Amino acid sequence: MKVNESAENYLETILMLSKKLPVVRSVDIANELGYKKPSVSIAMKHLREKEYITVMEQGYIFLTESGREIAEMIYERHEFLTNWLTSLGVDKKIAAEDACRIEHVISKESFQAMKEHCKI
């Protein structure tokens, strides 16, 4: 299951928003990411076509099982990498920015080895 970085970011954002909002809408995603609503609408269309999300008539966005799987994987990587870099003395903001880049390119094997090495 190869997903591009942009799609992973959108899925992760939907997951994070769903943890703090009763429902997630395109406007919420646009506000969170600082993107224009038309750009988000196009991205949601692509995610819907790939069956990573469902969109209700009211515009509420929900992750499908496959979308949630990807979102949770990326979110776990982001949290782990941010915390690990911070524990090494990296500024929290820089650690989060670097984690956001690394989370998309690191292999499953390397990430698992890092977790095992750190006992997390």
Side-chain angles (χ1 to χ4, degrees):
M1 140 184 62
K2 182 66 180 146
V3 182
N4 70 36
E5 182 176 333
S6 175
E8 289 176 345
N9 279 333
Y10 278 111
L11 293 171
E12 180 185 22
T13 300
I14 294 166
L15 176 68
M16 291 185 330
L17 288 172
S18 71
K19 291 176 185 281
K20 61 183 179 181
L21 298 174
V23 293
V24 178
R25 300 163 302 148
S26 289
V27 68
D28 302 317
I29 298 165
N31 290 338
E32 181 73 17
L33 296 174
Y35 296 165
K36 303 258 188 239
K37 187 153 178 348
S39 298
V40 173
S41 293
I42 291 168
M44 294 305 104
K45 177 180 182 271
H46 289 102
L47 293 176
R48 195 172 55 247
E49 288 170 352
K50 293 180 180 178
E51 299 183 356
Y52 294 137
I53 63 168
T54 57
V55 181
M56 308 306 286
E57 276 185 34
Q58 305 89 335
Y60 304 153
I61 299 167
F62 297 95
L63 294 168
T64 62
E65 187 176 327
S66 60
R68 179 169 296 281
E69 185 178 308
I70 294 164
E72 288 176 348
M73 175 194 68
I74 295 299
Y75 183 71
E76 177 191 18
R77 290 176 177 194
H78 182 87
E79 289 296 299
F80 173 86
L81 292 165
T82 299
N83 292 333
W84 180 62
L85 290 169
T86 302
S87 75
L88 295 175
V90 177
D91 175 78
K92 180 113 175 127
K93 184 175 189 266
I94 293 170
E97 290 169 358
D98 288 345
C100 196
R101 288 190 289 276
I102 297 167
E103 69 195 23
H104 301 287
V105 296
I106 192 168
S107 70
K108 286 181 182 180
E109 294 79 9
S110 293
F111 183 67
Q112 188 62 37
M114 289 174 71
K115 285 188 349 183
E116 288 172 13
H117 177 76
C118 295
K119 306 289 188 250
I120 295 178

